[in-house]
Amino acid sequence: MFIGLGLSCFGGVLAQIYYFKPQTILVSLMFLGVISYVIGLFMETFIPRQGMFRFLNPGPFNKKENAFAVIMASAAANSALATEVLAVQRLYYNITPNAGASIFLLFSSQLLGYGLGGLMRPILLYPSKMLYPGVLPLLSMFDALFEGGKAARKKLKVFYVVFAFIFIWELFPEWMFPLITGFSIICLAAPNSAAVSRLFGGTNGNEGLGILSLCLDWQYVSGGTNPMTIPLKAQFSNFIGYILCVAVFTGVFYMNIWKAQNFPFLSQLLFYENGTQYNQTLILNSNYEVDPTLLAEQGLPWYSTTWVVNLLTTNLGLAATFTHLLLWNFDDLRSAWSWATPSAIKHWWAHVNWKFWQNDGKREFTTEEIANLDPHYREMLKYPDAPNSWYFVTLICSVVISLVVIYETNSTLPWWSYVVSVLLATISILFFGALYAITGLQFIIQPFVQMIGGFLNPGKPMANMYFVLYSYNSVSQAQLLLRDLKIAQYAKLPPRAAFTAQIIGTLLGAVLNFILMNSIIKNQFEILLSVQGTNIWSGQQPQQYNSQAIAWGGLSHQLFAVGQRYQWVPWAYVVGLVVPVPFWLVHRYFPKLRADYLYTPVICYYISWLCVGINSSILSYFLVAFVSQWWLRTRYPRWFAKYNYIVGAALDGGTQVMVFILSFAVQGAAGTSHLFPQWWGANQNGNYDHCMLLNTGD
Ligand SMILES: *[C@@H]1O[C@H](CO)[C@@H](O)[C@H](O)[C@H]1NC(C)=O
Ligand SMILES: *[C@@H]1O[C@H](CO)[C@@H](O)[C@H](O)[C@H]1NC(C)=O
């Protein structure tokens, strides 16, 4: 509990700092796993086991305790989507709901998904085929560490050394010498060319595509996903997507598609046709609804073209995923839905106990049924389950609180629309949750939900944000809960303990998210509103959310309907359905071409990989992936099996701890920032890689 609380604070704060970074970065689960082990070991060794300290060291640190701490911390180490809504309201609507309403908004939106997901445990958690492959490296590391002995000690030693090295190293790219976030000879050679800046620049947010730039900042190399953990086969699709991305982005800009050259090359904001930033308050009436006469005065807003490409390819990717799974993974799909066969439903109907509130967590099975259970689940039967009533109460409380909150905060979301959002979440959890559990693929369904919300509540951007909050966020929260419960099941942590850890972590994380969000917005307000932001802070995420809410929630009909300017964005759903078919046919008839190496949905998503943030990291990303997953894996397979993941976790961890410290010490997370004095390697008045700084309209 002590370690879990500590790491929850670390994770909750760091996740919110990362939310305001130019690149979307996640707190590393592997690192939380190892560091909680290290702290546990430390407490076990150095805290006396008698007297007043006894409660801090009741005995040897064990695997279940470790799982408990990780679950708590991983629940906290997310930036709650509700802070996104609150941030947008402050940045763009000048609304600051009172702290009480904000906290209840956070709690209800974070817990709603837990209630829904928890009630689906029999479908999405207990069966063996619901594997959650993403957590397996963590569990195998637990096994290795708790086995003890010489091998575990050697592993830990490698962890300490790498951790210490990267911890010190990060001082340079993150503070003293940011030029090495992206060392680009081309930028240094041609510092005054706008075209060079767009193609080769990449050390600052939304600067350029960062081609051939060498990044020595592990934070950005490993930002979204650690390249050491993805098999080369999957990286191949990323690489093809990357090449296509460069080609497509350059193409649309220089062919001036959707007036690309009027707007910044990369941006998440909305603009007037002449390139001035769009002022959305001028088209909204006092109820924050779009007013047609005001809209006619201002004209429809425009996106940066690369951002339209991003919307388009995300939809393309989502639709392609369906066809891809149908063609290649039909058996997985069928097993994910086996609970929906008539016989399974009949069986469930016969056994269901409607008085769920009387369920005390005892589970009874016949001997024959027990033989068919998942072996991990069977071992869990000795513990009482967290009864359904706990999840049901969580659900009811969240629903009641959120209904109060949406009226208290003037969200403009009507209650019936809220009900639809919860139903949409329920269906999505069943569908996407099962796919996530089996394949580990997390689907980007946010744009889809935004679209549905936009058609339900036309002309109401704010309602759209709340709609997305309660449906999309509930889906991700449900997946998070089920994943963590699966960790508990693999580690044999009693379900009630897992439930407790999850709830405490979530609530604590939400409060910390809220505090940090207020502090960062207060201190970095101007930067968060600008197109580029800086290398440290950026409003790219609230900007995206806001632009999407205005476009989909306020103006979906005018912008996206058939015949309108961005009509290809929704059409991409149709096109995406057929994208995987040719590749599948090619593989059927010419298997030698290895078309099965091409994951078309991944390629589609990656066509817009560079649409936001710091792009200088791509070359280094692929280099690391190649060295780890090809060179080490094929040449030194034993070393790879022993150390690859632990080195990856140490690199992520050392980086993230240093970033945590620097954020407060010098980067202004809670006060003014103290940037390193201007010198060649820290070009504070321009882009760090010395590429030309572009203004809107250049
Ligand atoms: C662009 O158009 C908007 C709205 O018509 C106007 O307010 C703004 O001043 C214009 N900007 C420039 C640079 O002309
Ligand atoms: C948008 O317009 C409102 C109302 O006229 C004004 O108060 C606000 O400063 C404008 N915002 C920007 C960014 O120009």
Side-chain angles (χ1 to χ4, degrees), residues 272-276 297-298:
Y272 292 107
E273 192 174 341
N274 60 16
T276 306
E297 276 170 30
Q298 296 294 316

Side-chain angles (χ1 to χ4, degrees), residues 180-486:
I180 52 175
T181 309
F183 183 77
S184 168
I185 294 178
I186 302 159
C187 278
L188 292 173
N192 296 316
S193 157
V196 165
S197 187
R198 288 192 191 103
L199 289 180
F200 300 99
T203 44
N204 291 51
N206 288 343
E207 181 187 344
L209 303 182
I211 304 169
L212 296 180
S213 198
L214 187 68
C215 176
L216 300 176
D217 183 348
W218 184 258
Q219 154 153 265
Y220 293 115
V221 174
S222 161
T225 34
N226 187 330
M228 300 171 77
T229 59
I230 302 182
L232 211 55
K233 190 176 154 190
Q235 290 290 12
F236 186 58
S237 298
N238 297 0
F239 187 69
I240 297 200
Y242 168 65
I243 300 289
L244 285 173
C245 177
V246 171
V248 169
F249 277 16
T250 318
V252 291
F253 190 77
Y254 287 99
M255 283 155 63
N256 206 12
I257 302 206
W258 291 306
K259 309 220 172 185
Q261 295 179 5
N262 290 13
F263 316 114
F265 183 42
L266 306 175
S267 165
Q268 290 70 48
L269 294 165
L270 294 167
F271 298 94
Y272 292 107
E273 192 174 341
N274 60 16
T276 306
Q277 207 171 316
Y278 199 74
N279 187 341
Q280 66 190 50
T281 34
L282 296 180
I283 61 166
L284 300 176
N285 63 20
S286 56
N287 292 329
Y288 306 105
E289 290 165 10
V290 173
D291 184 314
T293 39
L294 293 176
L295 179 63
E297 276 170 30
Q298 296 294 316
L300 284 172
W302 294 73
Y303 280 115
S304 280
T305 298
T306 51
W307 189 251
V308 184
V309 173
N310 174 41
L311 299 180
L312 206 151
T313 56
T314 312
N315 293 351
L316 206 62
L318 182 63
T321 308
F322 281 100
T323 318
H324 185 88
L325 287 173
L326 275 178
L327 292 174
W328 299 93
N329 304 61
F330 186 70
D331 292 336
D332 288 346
L333 271 190
R334 206 171 44 195
S335 64
W337 284 80
S338 58
W339 58 270
T341 57
S343 64
I345 291 177
K346 225 155 112 194
H347 178 86
W348 172 79
W349 188 259
H351 287 77
V352 71
N353 175 9
W354 292 106
K355 298 186 182 159
F356 51 81
W357 55 90
Q358 294 176 346
N359 181 331
D360 59 359
K362 286 216 191 75
R363 291 169 284 192
E364 275 152 29
F365 291 98
T366 62
T367 343
E368 179 206 1
E369 277 171 329
I370 286 196
N372 288 329
L373 286 177
D374 173 65
H376 293 285
Y377 179 53
R378 199 184 311 141
E379 283 197 43
M380 295 292 276
L381 293 180
K382 60 179 180 257
Y383 303 116
D385 199 2
N388 274 338
S389 54
W390 292 15
Y391 292 100
F392 193 72
V393 168
T394 310
L395 177 63
I396 294 295
C397 289
S398 310
V399 169
V400 172
I401 293 173
S402 38
L403 279 171
V404 174
V405 165
I406 58 174
Y407 284 95
E408 271 298 304
T409 54
N410 301 323
S411 68
T412 70
L413 184 74
W415 65 268
W416 57 266
S417 198
Y418 170 79
V419 173
V420 175
S421 79
V422 176
L423 289 178
L424 185 64
T426 313
I427 297 167
S428 306
I429 293 168
L430 267 178
F431 193 87
F432 297 106
L435 292 176
Y436 171 63
I438 291 177
T439 64
L441 281 179
Q442 205 150 18
F443 293 78
I444 304 178
I445 60 167
Q446 192 174 355
F448 181 71
V449 175
Q450 275 162 334
M451 183 176 78
I452 307 269
F455 285 121
L456 279 178
N457 305 291
K460 292 183 181 177
M462 202 116 88
N464 192 267
M465 291 199 294
Y466 280 85
F467 185 88
V468 174
L469 172 64
Y470 281 112
S471 55
Y472 166 69
N473 190 50
S474 302
V475 179
S476 22
Q477 286 297 100
Q479 290 178 348
L480 180 71
L481 172 81
L482 291 163
R483 186 200 71 181
D484 285 354
L485 291 179
K486 196 73 182 189

Side-chain angles (χ1 to χ4, degrees), residues 35 62 100 150 160 178 197 200 261 277 307 321 394 411 416 450 482 506 511 556 569 585 645 664 691 698:
I35 198 68
N62 66 35
K150 216 167 120 215
Y160 293 140
S197 187
F200 300 99
Q261 295 179 5
Q277 207 171 316
W307 189 251
T321 308
T394 310
S411 68
W416 57 266
Q450 275 162 334
L482 291 163
T506 306
V511 172
S556 55
V569 172
L585 288 176
Y645 286 114
F664 290 101
C691 257
D698 278 353

